[in-house]
Amino acid sequence: MAKGISSPSSSEEGRECRHEVHAEKMSSLGHFTQAIVHDIRNSLHIVVTASAMIKRRSDDPSIHNHLNAIDQTIERTNGLIERILTFANNSEDHLGIIDLSGSIDESISLTRPMIPPEITVDWQHPAKAMHILGDHGQLYQVVLNLLKNAIEAIGRGNCGSILVTLNKFYPWAELRVKDSGPGIAADVIDLICEPAFTTKADGNGFGLANVFDVVEKHGGTMEVASPAGEGAEFIILLPLMPELNI
Ligand SMILES: Nc1ncnc2c1ncn2[C@@H]1O[C@H](COP(=O)(O)OP(=O)(O)OP(=O)(O)O)[C@@H](O)[C@H]1O
Ligand SMILES: [Mg+2]
């Protein structure tokens, strides 16, 4: 049976989601990241300029201390931005033995700046490492796309929650991303990982296609569940490395 995204109602046939639009998908994700980075950099630039101006006009050491703290925070944020860009532009495969738990942990941290304060992200995972053969950068894209979709489903400005869980069901690692949004309508649920399928006015429709591509490259499967009124839940299974997990 073809691997692919399936909903509980269509899981018997599964869904074939292979496609040849990798470059477009990567460019869609890259554009999204660059748009965010552009806005963040503009905002940071305003703060840095204001900080420098106040420093020039004030001899008060306590004000200088506060401004130095602001400058350091901005420097750290700029470092974070560089790491996000490195990940988002990384379309080559770099498979290696990675701790999935640590990888997702870092991906969520990198994504935090785009999460509105009204939306909480609860990340639950076992303390022990969970080793897979994987590409850290590509797994970041999985987390980024699923969180981006969850945020957009809840709607910026609305209160909501996203639950991210990782569990071991040997020989699989199971990653779930569940949101408190409106869920996915039954008539489109089988289409959502089709490239260029979108229900959003400003969507490109390549996010889930990209997620599916990465999951497939990692030898995994993806399902979506969206019971009426309960939000959407994406369930990804990735094969664990036997020698390190038994
Ligand atoms: N968490 C979710 N809740 C509700 N609907 C969702 C969710 N995730 C995806 N969808 C639906 O699946 C469609 C396809 O998602 P996908 O991420 O591929 O594209 P997009 O978000 O529309 O655009 P892009 O990610 O390229 O900016 C969305 O337009 C939306 O209708
Ligand atoms: Mg999307």
Side-chain angles (χ1 to χ4, degrees):
M1 187 176 77
K3 281 198 293 290
I5 191 167
S6 58
S7 64
S9 60
S10 68
S11 60
E12 271 163 34
E13 315 90 72
R15 278 197 67 80
E16 178 59 63
C17 289
R18 287 195 66 85
H19 37 80
E20 304 296 332
V21 289
H22 189 69
E24 288 90 328
K25 284 178 291 175
M26 293 311 302
S27 116
S28 155
L29 183 71
H31 287 150
F32 169 70
T33 306
Q34 272 161 17
I36 288 183
V37 163
H38 182 257
D39 280 358
I40 296 173
R41 278 193 169 142
N42 276 351
S43 308
L44 292 182
H45 183 69
I46 292 168
V47 180
V48 166
T49 311
S51 166
M53 197 186 75
I54 299 168
K55 265 185 190 166
R56 275 200 305 275
R57 293 188 179 180
S58 168
D59 296 328
D60 184 335
S62 81
I63 287 182
H64 274 248
N65 281 346
H66 286 303
L67 293 173
N68 286 340
I70 289 173
D71 292 346
Q72 279 164 17
T73 307
I74 287 173
E75 210 176 299
R76 272 202 305 278
T77 309
N78 274 326
L80 184 67
I81 287 171
E82 290 310 320
R83 282 156 69 208
I84 290 173
L85 281 177
T86 306
F87 276 124
N89 294 329
N90 177 10
S91 56
E92 301 290 313
D93 285 0
H94 295 290
L95 289 178
I97 299 173
I98 57 167
D99 167 23
L100 185 58
S101 196
S103 172
I104 293 171
D105 193 64
E106 188 177 356
S107 298
I108 293 175
S109 303
L110 287 170
T111 313
R112 287 227 181 252
M114 79 171 200
I115 300 168
E118 301 83 11
I119 298 178
T120 58
V121 176
D122 187 10
W123 160 223
Q124 300 176 0
H125 59 99
K128 218 169 155 229
M130 232 182 263
H131 292 105
I132 66 162
L133 188 61
D135 181 319
H136 184 44
Q138 291 179 6
L139 291 167
Y140 166 69
Q141 288 155 21
V142 168
V143 173
L144 173 62
N145 273 304
L146 293 180
L147 289 181
K148 175 178 174 276
N149 280 344
I151 292 165
E152 288 167 352
I154 293 166
R156 286 179 188 275
N158 294 333
C159 290
S161 60
I162 304 170
L163 175 62
V164 184
T165 56
L166 181 68
N167 283 297
K168 187 192 280 191
F169 296 110
Y170 191 80
W172 300 102
E174 183 200 69
L175 172 68
R176 287 178 180 252
V177 179
K178 181 172 170 50
D179 64 65
S180 65
I184 304 167
D187 59 334
V188 301
I189 200 165
D190 288 340
L191 303 172
I192 58 173
C193 77
E194 298 291 340
F197 176 82
T198 183
T199 57
K200 300 169 191 171
D202 57 350
N204 294 303
F206 289 111
L208 288 178
N210 184 33
V211 169
F212 174 74
D213 230 23
V214 172
V215 170
E216 189 186 46
K217 269 187 195 165
H218 284 71
T221 60
M222 180 162 77
E223 284 192 358
V224 62
S226 189
E230 283 190 34
E233 182 170 36
F234 288 83
I235 305 148
I236 290 173
L237 294 179
L238 296 171
L240 289 160
M241 292 206 63
E243 53 286 312
L244 296 171
N245 284 287
I246 288 177

CSV table of all heavy atoms in Angstrom, one decimal, residues 5 29 111 114 139-153 162 164 175-179 192 200 207-208 211-212 215 222-224 232-236:
chain,number,residue,atom,x,y,z
A,5,ILE,N,-0.5,10.4,3.6
A,5,ILE,CA,-1.4,10.9,4.6
A,5,ILE,C,-2.8,10.1,4.5
A,5,ILE,O,-3.2,9.9,3.4
A,5,ILE,CB,-1.6,12.4,4.6
A,5,ILE,CG1,-2.3,12.9,5.8
A,5,ILE,CG2,-2.4,12.8,3.3
A,5,ILE,CD1,-2.2,14.4,6.0
A,29,LEU,N,8.3,27.4,1.6
A,29,LEU,CA,8.7,27.4,3.0
A,29,LEU,C,9.7,28.5,3.2
A,29,LEU,O,9.7,29.3,4.1
A,29,LEU,CB,9.3,26.1,3.4
A,29,LEU,CG,9.7,26.0,4.9
A,29,LEU,CD1,8.4,26.0,5.7
A,29,LEU,CD2,10.5,24.8,5.1
A,111,THR,N,10.9,27.8,16.6
A,111,THR,CA,9.6,28.3,16.0
A,111,THR,C,8.9,29.3,17.0
A,111,THR,O,8.0,30.0,16.6
A,111,THR,CB,8.7,27.1,15.7
A,111,THR,OG1,9.5,26.1,15.0
A,111,THR,CG2,7.5,27.4,14.9
A,114,MET,N,7.5,32.9,16.3
A,114,MET,CA,6.3,33.1,15.4
A,114,MET,C,5.0,32.7,16.1
A,114,MET,O,3.9,32.9,15.5
A,114,MET,CB,6.5,32.4,14.1
A,114,MET,CG,6.1,30.9,14.2
A,114,MET,SD,6.1,30.2,12.5
A,114,MET,CE,5.1,28.7,12.8
A,139,LEU,N,13.4,17.8,9.6
A,139,LEU,CA,12.5,17.6,10.7
A,139,LEU,C,12.0,18.9,11.2
A,139,LEU,O,10.9,19.1,11.7
A,139,LEU,CB,13.1,16.7,11.8
A,139,LEU,CG,13.3,15.2,11.3
A,139,LEU,CD1,14.1,14.4,12.3
A,139,LEU,CD2,11.9,14.5,11.1
A,140,TYR,N,12.9,19.9,11.2
A,140,TYR,CA,12.5,21.2,11.6
A,140,TYR,C,11.4,21.7,10.7
A,140,TYR,O,10.4,22.4,11.2
A,140,TYR,CB,13.7,22.2,11.6
A,140,TYR,CG,13.4,23.6,11.6
A,140,TYR,CD1,12.8,24.2,12.8
A,140,TYR,CD2,13.5,24.5,10.5
A,140,TYR,CE1,12.5,25.5,12.9
A,140,TYR,CE2,13.1,25.8,10.6
A,140,TYR,CZ,12.6,26.3,11.8
A,140,TYR,OH,12.2,27.6,11.8
A,141,GLN,N,11.5,21.5,9.4
A,141,GLN,CA,10.5,21.9,8.5
A,141,GLN,C,9.1,21.3,8.8
A,141,GLN,O,8.1,21.9,8.6
A,141,GLN,CB,10.9,21.6,7.0
A,141,GLN,CG,12.0,22.6,6.6
A,141,GLN,CD,12.9,22.0,5.5
A,141,GLN,OE1,12.4,21.1,4.8
A,141,GLN,NE2,14.1,22.5,5.4
A,142,VAL,N,9.2,20.0,9.2
A,142,VAL,CA,7.9,19.3,9.6
A,142,VAL,C,7.3,20.0,10.7
A,142,VAL,O,6.1,20.4,10.7
A,142,VAL,CB,8.2,17.8,10.0
A,142,VAL,CG1,7.0,17.2,10.6
A,142,VAL,CG2,8.7,17.0,8.7
A,143,VAL,N,8.1,20.3,11.8
A,143,VAL,CA,7.5,21.0,13.0
A,143,VAL,C,7.0,22.4,12.6
A,143,VAL,O,5.9,22.8,13.0
A,143,VAL,CB,8.6,21.0,14.1
A,143,VAL,CG1,8.1,21.9,15.2
A,143,VAL,CG2,9.0,19.6,14.5
A,144,LEU,N,7.9,23.1,11.8
A,144,LEU,CA,7.5,24.5,11.4
A,144,LEU,C,6.2,24.5,10.7
A,144,LEU,O,5.3,25.3,11.0
A,144,LEU,CB,8.6,25.1,10.6
A,144,LEU,CG,8.3,26.4,9.9
A,144,LEU,CD1,8.1,27.5,11.0
A,144,LEU,CD2,9.5,26.8,9.0
A,145,ASN,N,6.0,23.6,9.7
A,145,ASN,CA,4.8,23.6,8.9
A,145,ASN,C,3.6,23.2,9.7
A,145,ASN,O,2.5,23.8,9.5
A,145,ASN,CB,5.0,22.6,7.7
A,145,ASN,CG,5.6,23.3,6.5
A,145,ASN,OD1,5.1,24.4,6.0
A,145,ASN,ND2,6.7,22.8,6.0
A,146,LEU,N,3.7,22.2,10.5
A,146,LEU,CA,2.6,21.8,11.3
A,146,LEU,C,2.2,22.8,12.3
A,146,LEU,O,1.0,23.1,12.5
A,146,LEU,CB,2.9,20.4,12.0
A,146,LEU,CG,3.0,19.2,11.1
A,146,LEU,CD1,3.3,17.9,11.9
A,146,LEU,CD2,1.8,19.0,10.2
A,147,LEU,N,3.2,23.5,12.9
A,147,LEU,CA,2.8,24.5,13.9
A,147,LEU,C,2.2,25.8,13.2
A,147,LEU,O,1.3,26.4,13.6
A,147,LEU,CB,4.1,25.0,14.7
A,147,LEU,CG,4.6,24.0,15.7
A,147,LEU,CD1,5.8,24.5,16.5
A,147,LEU,CD2,3.5,23.6,16.7
A,148,LYS,N,2.8,26.1,12.0
A,148,LYS,CA,2.3,27.2,11.2
A,148,LYS,C,0.8,26.9,10.9
A,148,LYS,O,-0.1,27.8,11.0
A,148,LYS,CB,3.1,27.4,10.0
A,148,LYS,CG,2.6,28.4,9.0
A,148,LYS,CD,3.6,28.5,7.8
A,148,LYS,CE,3.1,29.4,6.7
A,148,LYS,NZ,2.2,28.8,5.7
A,149,ASN,N,0.5,25.7,10.4
A,149,ASN,CA,-0.9,25.4,10.1
A,149,ASN,C,-1.8,25.5,11.3
A,149,ASN,O,-2.9,26.0,11.2
A,149,ASN,CB,-1.0,24.0,9.5
A,149,ASN,CG,-0.6,24.0,8.0
A,149,ASN,OD1,-0.5,25.0,7.4
A,149,ASN,ND2,-0.3,22.8,7.5
A,150,ALA,N,-1.3,25.0,12.4
A,150,ALA,CA,-2.1,25.0,13.6
A,150,ALA,C,-2.4,26.4,14.1
A,150,ALA,O,-3.5,26.8,14.4
A,150,ALA,CB,-1.4,24.2,14.8
A,151,ILE,N,-1.4,27.3,14.0
A,151,ILE,CA,-1.6,28.7,14.4
A,151,ILE,C,-2.6,29.4,13.4
A,151,ILE,O,-3.5,30.1,13.8
A,151,ILE,CB,-0.2,29.5,14.3
A,151,ILE,CG1,0.7,28.9,15.4
A,151,ILE,CG2,-0.4,31.0,14.4
A,151,ILE,CD1,2.2,29.3,15.2
A,152,GLU,N,-2.4,29.1,12.1
A,152,GLU,CA,-3.3,29.7,11.1
A,152,GLU,C,-4.8,29.2,11.3
A,152,GLU,O,-5.7,29.9,11.1
A,152,GLU,CB,-2.8,29.4,9.7
A,152,GLU,CG,-1.6,30.2,9.4
A,152,GLU,CD,-0.8,29.8,8.1
A,152,GLU,OE1,-1.2,28.7,7.6
A,152,GLU,OE2,0.1,30.5,7.7
A,153,ALA,N,-4.9,27.9,11.7
A,153,ALA,CA,-6.2,27.3,11.9
A,153,ALA,C,-6.9,28.0,13.1
A,153,ALA,O,-8.1,28.3,13.1
A,153,ALA,CB,-6.1,25.8,12.1
A,162,ILE,N,-1.9,24.2,21.3
A,162,ILE,CA,-1.3,23.2,20.4
A,162,ILE,C,-0.6,22.2,21.3
A,162,ILE,O,0.2,22.6,22.2
A,162,ILE,CB,-0.3,23.8,19.4
A,162,ILE,CG1,-1.0,24.9,18.6
A,162,ILE,CG2,0.2,22.8,18.5
A,162,ILE,CD1,0.0,25.8,17.8
A,164,VAL,N,1.9,19.1,21.4
A,164,VAL,CA,2.9,18.3,20.6
A,164,VAL,C,3.4,17.2,21.5
A,164,VAL,O,3.9,17.4,22.6
A,164,VAL,CB,4.1,19.2,20.2
A,164,VAL,CG1,5.0,18.3,19.3
A,164,VAL,CG2,3.6,20.4,19.5
A,175,LEU,N,5.0,10.9,16.6
A,175,LEU,CA,4.8,12.4,16.9
A,175,LEU,C,3.4,12.8,16.6
A,175,LEU,O,2.9,12.5,15.5
A,175,LEU,CB,5.8,13.1,15.9
A,175,LEU,CG,5.7,14.7,15.9
A,175,LEU,CD1,6.1,15.3,17.3
A,175,LEU,CD2,6.5,15.3,14.8
A,176,ARG,N,2.8,13.5,17.5
A,176,ARG,CA,1.4,14.0,17.3
A,176,ARG,C,1.4,15.5,17.5
A,176,ARG,O,2.0,16.0,18.4
A,176,ARG,CB,0.4,13.4,18.3
A,176,ARG,CG,0.1,11.9,18.1
A,176,ARG,CD,-0.8,11.4,19.1
A,176,ARG,NE,-1.1,10.0,18.9
A,176,ARG,CZ,-2.3,9.6,18.4
A,176,ARG,NH1,-3.3,10.4,18.3
A,176,ARG,NH2,-2.5,8.3,18.2
A,177,VAL,N,0.7,16.2,16.6
A,177,VAL,CA,0.5,17.6,16.7
A,177,VAL,C,-1.0,17.9,16.6
A,177,VAL,O,-1.6,17.7,15.6
A,177,VAL,CB,1.3,18.4,15.6
A,177,VAL,CG1,1.1,19.9,15.8
A,177,VAL,CG2,2.8,18.1,15.7
A,178,LYS,N,-1.5,18.3,17.8
A,178,LYS,CA,-3.0,18.5,17.8
A,178,LYS,C,-3.3,20.0,18.2
A,178,LYS,O,-2.6,20.5,19.1
A,178,LYS,CB,-3.5,17.6,18.9
A,178,LYS,CG,-5.0,17.6,19.1
A,178,LYS,CD,-5.5,16.5,20.0
A,178,LYS,CE,-7.0,16.7,20.4
A,178,LYS,NZ,-7.9,16.9,19.3
A,179,ASP,N,-4.2,20.5,17.5
A,179,ASP,CA,-4.6,21.9,17.8
A,179,ASP,C,-6.0,22.1,18.2
A,179,ASP,O,-6.8,21.2,18.0
A,179,ASP,CB,-4.2,22.9,16.6
A,179,ASP,CG,-5.1,22.5,15.4
A,179,ASP,OD1,-6.3,22.7,15.4
A,179,ASP,OD2,-4.5,22.1,14.3
A,192,ILE,N,-5.7,17.4,1.5
A,192,ILE,CA,-4.8,18.4,2.1
A,192,ILE,C,-3.3,18.3,1.9
A,192,ILE,O,-2.6,19.2,2.0
A,192,ILE,CB,-5.1,18.6,3.6
A,192,ILE,CG1,-4.9,17.3,4.4
A,192,ILE,CG2,-6.5,19.2,3.9
A,192,ILE,CD1,-4.9,17.4,5.9
A,200,LYS,N,-6.7,28.6,2.0
A,200,LYS,CA,-6.4,29.9,2.6
A,200,LYS,C,-6.2,30.9,1.4
A,200,LYS,O,-5.6,30.6,0.4
A,200,LYS,CB,-5.1,29.9,3.4
A,200,LYS,CG,-5.3,28.9,4.5
A,200,LYS,CD,-3.9,28.6,5.2
A,200,LYS,CE,-4.1,27.4,6.2
A,200,LYS,NZ,-2.8,27.0,6.7
A,207,GLY,N,2.7,23.3,2.2
A,207,GLY,CA,3.2,23.0,3.6
A,207,GLY,C,3.1,21.5,3.9
A,207,GLY,O,4.1,20.8,4.2
A,208,LEU,N,1.9,20.9,3.8
A,208,LEU,CA,1.8,19.5,4.1
A,208,LEU,C,2.4,18.6,3.1
A,208,LEU,O,2.8,17.5,3.4
A,208,LEU,CB,0.3,19.2,4.3
A,208,LEU,CG,-0.4,19.8,5.5
A,208,LEU,CD1,-1.9,19.5,5.5
A,208,LEU,CD2,0.3,19.3,6.8
A,211,VAL,N,5.8,18.4,4.3
A,211,VAL,CA,5.8,17.5,5.5
A,211,VAL,C,5.8,16.1,5.0
A,211,VAL,O,6.6,15.2,5.5
A,211,VAL,CB,4.6,17.8,6.4
A,211,VAL,CG1,4.5,16.8,7.5
A,211,VAL,CG2,4.8,19.2,7.0
A,212,PHE,N,4.9,15.7,4.1
A,212,PHE,CA,4.7,14.4,3.7
A,212,PHE,C,6.0,13.9,3.0
A,212,PHE,O,6.5,12.7,3.3
A,212,PHE,CB,3.6,14.2,2.7
A,212,PHE,CG,3.5,12.8,2.1
A,212,PHE,CD1,3.1,11.8,2.9
A,212,PHE,CD2,4.0,12.6,0.9
A,212,PHE,CE1,3.1,10.5,2.4
A,212,PHE,CE2,4.1,11.3,0.4
A,212,PHE,CZ,3.6,10.2,1.2
A,215,VAL,N,8.5,13.1,5.7
A,215,VAL,CA,8.1,11.9,6.4
A,215,VAL,C,8.4,10.6,5.6
A,215,VAL,O,9.0,9.6,6.1
A,215,VAL,CB,6.6,11.9,6.8
A,215,VAL,CG1,6.2,10.6,7.4
A,215,VAL,CG2,6.4,13.0,7.8
A,222,MET,N,2.1,9.2,7.7
A,222,MET,CA,1.4,10.3,8.4
A,222,MET,C,-0.1,10.1,8.2
A,222,MET,O,-0.6,9.8,7.2
A,222,MET,CB,1.8,11.6,7.7
A,222,MET,CG,1.1,12.9,8.3
A,222,MET,SD,2.0,14.4,7.9
A,222,MET,CE,1.5,14.6,6.2
A,223,GLU,N,-0.8,10.4,9.3
A,223,GLU,CA,-2.3,10.4,9.3
A,223,GLU,C,-2.8,11.6,9.9
A,223,GLU,O,-2.1,12.3,10.6
A,223,GLU,CB,-2.8,9.2,10.2
A,223,GLU,CG,-2.6,7.9,9.5
A,223,GLU,CD,-3.4,6.8,10.3
A,223,GLU,OE1,-4.0,7.2,11.4
A,223,GLU,OE2,-3.4,5.7,9.9
A,224,VAL,N,-4.1,12.0,9.5
A,224,VAL,CA,-4.7,13.1,10.1
A,224,VAL,C,-6.0,12.7,10.7
A,224,VAL,O,-6.7,11.9,10.1
A,224,VAL,CB,-4.8,14.3,9.2
A,224,VAL,CG1,-5.7,13.9,8.0
A,224,VAL,CG2,-5.4,15.5,9.9
A,232,ALA,N,-7.7,19.7,14.7
A,232,ALA,CA,-7.0,18.7,13.8
A,232,ALA,C,-5.8,18.1,14.5
A,232,ALA,O,-5.2,18.7,15.3
A,232,ALA,CB,-6.5,19.4,12.5
A,233,GLU,N,-5.6,16.8,14.2
A,233,GLU,CA,-4.4,16.2,14.8
A,233,GLU,C,-3.7,15.4,13.7
A,233,GLU,O,-4.2,14.6,13.0
A,233,GLU,CB,-4.9,15.2,15.9
A,233,GLU,CG,-3.7,14.5,16.6
A,233,GLU,CD,-4.0,13.7,17.8
A,233,GLU,OE1,-5.1,13.1,17.8
A,233,GLU,OE2,-3.3,13.6,18.7
A,234,PHE,N,-2.4,15.7,13.7
A,234,PHE,CA,-1.5,15.1,12.7
A,234,PHE,C,-0.6,14.0,13.5
A,234,PHE,O,-0.1,14.3,14.5
A,234,PHE,CB,-0.6,16.1,12.0
A,234,PHE,CG,-1.4,16.9,11.0
A,234,PHE,CD1,-2.1,18.0,11.4
A,234,PHE,CD2,-1.5,16.5,9.7
A,234,PHE,CE1,-2.9,18.8,10.6
A,234,PHE,CE2,-2.3,17.3,8.8
A,234,PHE,CZ,-3.0,18.4,9.2
A,235,ILE,N,-0.6,12.8,12.9
A,235,ILE,CA,0.0,11.7,13.6
A,235,ILE,C,1.1,11.1,12.7
A,235,ILE,O,0.8,10.6,11.6
A,235,ILE,CB,-1.0,10.6,14.0
A,235,ILE,CG1,-2.1,11.2,14.8
A,235,ILE,CG2,-0.3,9.5,14.8
A,235,ILE,CD1,-3.4,10.5,14.6
A,236,ILE,N,2.3,11.3,13.1
A,236,ILE,CA,3.5,10.9,12.2
A,236,ILE,C,4.2,9.7,12.9
A,236,ILE,O,4.5,9.8,14.1
A,236,ILE,CB,4.4,12.1,12.0
A,236,ILE,CG1,3.7,13.1,11.1
A,236,ILE,CG2,5.7,11.6,11.4
A,236,ILE,CD1,4.5,14.4,10.9
